[in-house]
Amino acid sequence: MMQGRVHLYEGYTAHQCAFPVRVMHSWGIRTLLLTNAAGGINKKFLTGDLMLIADHINLLFQNPCVGRNDPERPRFFPMNDAYSPRLRKIVQEIDPEVRSGVYAAMLGPSYETPAEIRMLRLLGVDAVGMSTVNECIAARHLDMEVLGFSVITNATVDEDLSEEKVEHSEVVQVGKAAGPRLRSIMLRLIPQI
């Protein structure tokens, strides 16, 4: 439904980043499908892989539910099932080659340093990006069912002396190339939601 999103690195607040989710909920939407481009932290992941988000780590250190709370919603809510196990199971039946892993969101807009990549691996992160977490948190606060996909658009560089650089144009190109496979999965998933 949406093509793109706003990000914290553009100067928006976490609340503003999550605003479209709240609008969709007000329209009666109860299931949220999120996609992003992410760097592969897991060394087994290849450029172009699709990863189902099983869980996330919020390294944005912001939350869209900070501030005044809607009295119709709980102030404190669980995130242990942030990404729907039911929907993830359906996707894995549709395409068993889809990876699964933990996504971390960092502020950006710079890509990660080698030391940050080593830290992320120590934390158990499989992919890193600059979005998705605020939308997921807001959706779960609204009791929406959430499914998240990361397109692994580049292998991250974790050697201090490496000559390899992440080129944004390549990230965009890989993301576009993964589109048909992701679209095929979505078209088979949506009737089962």
Side-chain angles (χ1 to χ4, degrees):
M1 184 171 161
M2 289 181 55
Q3 189 169 1
R5 57 166 51 94
V6 297
H7 302 82
L8 292 173
Y9 66 74
E10 295 174 283
Y12 293 96
T13 66
H15 186 77
Q16 289 169 321
C17 291
F19 181 72
V21 172
R22 292 184 172 103
V23 171
M24 286 184 245
H25 183 268
S26 75
W27 292 342
I29 295 170
R30 296 297 178 259
T31 304
L32 182 64
L33 307 178
L34 296 167
T35 62
N36 66 52
I41 299 295
N42 186 323
K43 290 185 178 185
K44 294 179 183 175
F45 286 8
L46 303 173
T47 298
D49 278 350
L50 291 180
M51 182 191 89
L52 276 170
I53 302 174
D55 203 350
H56 74 233
I57 298 176
N58 182 359
L59 296 176
L60 300 168
F61 303 109
Q62 296 186 43
N63 188 307
C65 297
V66 168
R68 190 175 69 82
N69 189 54
D70 177 351
E72 300 293 316
R73 298 280 159 209
R75 171 45 110 188
F76 304 100
F77 54 98
M79 290 292 291
N80 57 307
D81 60 349
Y83 299 90
S84 170
R86 179 183 79 86
L87 295 179
R88 285 187 285 128
K89 183 178 179 197
I90 294 170
V91 169
Q92 289 171 326
E93 290 168 358
I94 291 170
D95 186 342
E97 300 299 313
V98 173
R99 307 274 193 168
S100 182
V102 174
Y103 173 83
M106 295 183 72
L107 183 59
S110 57
Y111 292 113
E112 298 71 34
T113 68
E116 289 169 335
I117 292 165
R118 290 191 299 273
M119 174 198 70
L120 292 168
R121 280 202 184 108
L122 287 172
L123 292 175
V125 171
D126 296 292
V128 63
M130 303 172 195
S131 66
T132 305
V133 168
N134 283 316
E135 294 99 324
C136 176
I137 293 169
R140 293 305 298 138
H141 185 235
L142 295 165
D143 203 28
M144 296 171 76
E145 193 172 20
V146 177
L147 180 70
F149 285 95
S150 291
V151 176
I152 306 303
T153 54
N154 58 289
T156 56
V157 180
D158 67 349
E159 299 303 321
D160 291 325
L161 301 176
S162 174
E163 296 298 317
E164 194 174 339
K165 303 280 187 233
V166 177
E167 295 292 334
H168 186 68
S169 60
E170 292 174 18
V171 169
V172 172
Q173 186 177 7
V174 171
K176 286 182 181 180
R181 181 178 175 203
L182 186 55
R183 186 171 21 259
S184 173
I185 292 169
M186 295 282 200
L187 289 174
R188 293 176 64 191
L189 169 68
I190 290 170
Q192 299 182 60
I193 292 179

